Amino acid sequence: MKKIAVFASGSGSNFQAIIDVVQAGHLDANISLLVCDKPGAFAIERARAAKIPSFIFTAKDYPSKEHYEEEILAQLKTSGVEFIVLAGYMRLIGSKLLAEYKGRIVNIHPSLLPAFPGKDAIGQALAAQAKWSGVTIHFVDEGMDTGPIIIQERVRLDENETRESLQQKIQKSEHKLYPSVLQMLLTQGDVINDTKARAN
């Protein structure tokens, strides 16, 4: 059973989905640490409820990204973390963590990358009047949502789609897809190089 760390900055809905499948025995992993850069984030409450240790930091308290990532890395090593799962973590991963966990950091993004990278992908899709959006799970590299894609799942936008309705659709897809992909990655242990796609 691999030890994983989940990185989150917000409400932690994907974090909760991962907690739920681990507790149900459907994901062969031990969530050893939550890393959170927002002391007021609800993800921290989810970790407390599940008795998961947290490392909480504020980036402005450190002179540079390198300094806070050094502390994150120390926490990961202390916890024996083997794999990093980003779940709404709103910071780019730096070179120190990328080097230490090469091929073992994954992210979930609420669009069909390369469309609508970065912040507010849902708002970007609505502003572009896109007919399709969706979910992408990908390995993390030094860029903004540019790492190799593992899998994508499409979500159709209705004619009168709102931010709230699209977010609900995308989260429903995320909460089902992310745990199943993590199970595949953690049990196989292989880096997936080909892009796969599933359409609703």
Side-chain angles (χ1 to χ4, degrees):
M1 181 180 293
K2 283 189 170 59
K3 292 185 176 182
I4 68 172
V6 177
F7 287 37
S9 298
S11 68
S13 69
N14 276 304
F15 178 36
Q16 187 65 55
I18 295 166
I19 292 171
D20 290 345
V21 294
V22 168
Q23 291 180 341
H26 300 314
L27 177 58
D28 191 25
N30 182 336
I31 308 173
S32 299
L33 187 68
L34 168 70
V35 175
C36 183
D37 64 329
K38 303 290 184 185
F42 190 66
I44 297 166
E45 298 304 317
R46 297 183 189 274
R48 286 177 182 151
K51 296 181 171 55
I52 296 168
S54 298
F55 172 62
I56 304 159
F57 71 99
T58 302
K60 67 180 181 181
D61 292 340
Y62 296 83
S64 69
K65 177 190 283 284
E66 183 176 348
H67 283 83
Y68 68 70
E69 285 209 341
E70 282 179 357
E71 191 159 348
I72 291 172
L73 185 56
Q75 295 284 334
L76 295 174
K77 288 185 174 180
T78 297
S79 300
V81 169
E82 302 166 85
F83 200 91
I84 294 173
V85 178
L86 306 187
Y89 184 66
M90 302 306 290
R91 295 187 179 277
L92 289 176
I93 299 297
S95 58
K96 192 170 289 289
L97 286 178
L98 286 171
E100 188 72 26
Y101 286 90
K102 184 177 181 180
R104 293 181 290 146
I105 308 176
V106 293
N107 184 44
I108 190 164
H109 185 76
S111 79
L112 297 175
L113 294 172
F116 314 128
K119 293 182 179 179
D120 195 18
I122 290 174
Q124 292 183 59
L126 291 169
Q129 298 183 326
K131 295 186 182 299
W132 291 95
S133 186
V135 176
T136 301
I137 298 172
H138 64 95
F139 289 107
V140 174
D141 62 12
E142 64 279 357
M144 175 76 75
D145 300 320
T146 56
I149 292 171
I150 300 167
I151 196 166
Q152 295 182 308
E153 185 164 279
R154 295 194 297 168
V155 171
R156 183 186 290 276
L157 277 71
D158 294 330
E159 191 171 319
N160 298 315
E161 200 76 69
T162 66
R163 177 182 290 271
E164 292 75 20
S165 63
L166 181 55
Q167 182 171 331
Q168 287 177 0
K169 287 180 181 179
I170 286 177
Q171 285 186 339
K172 182 178 179 181
S173 176
E174 288 178 335
H175 297 168
K176 181 179 178 182
L177 190 63
Y178 212 7
S180 66
V181 171
L182 291 175
Q183 176 67 8
M184 176 179 63
L185 292 173
L186 294 174
T187 55
Q188 292 181 353
D190 297 327
V191 172
I192 300 173
N193 294 314
D194 59 320
T195 299
K196 300 178 181 179
R198 298 194 327 187
N200 285 341

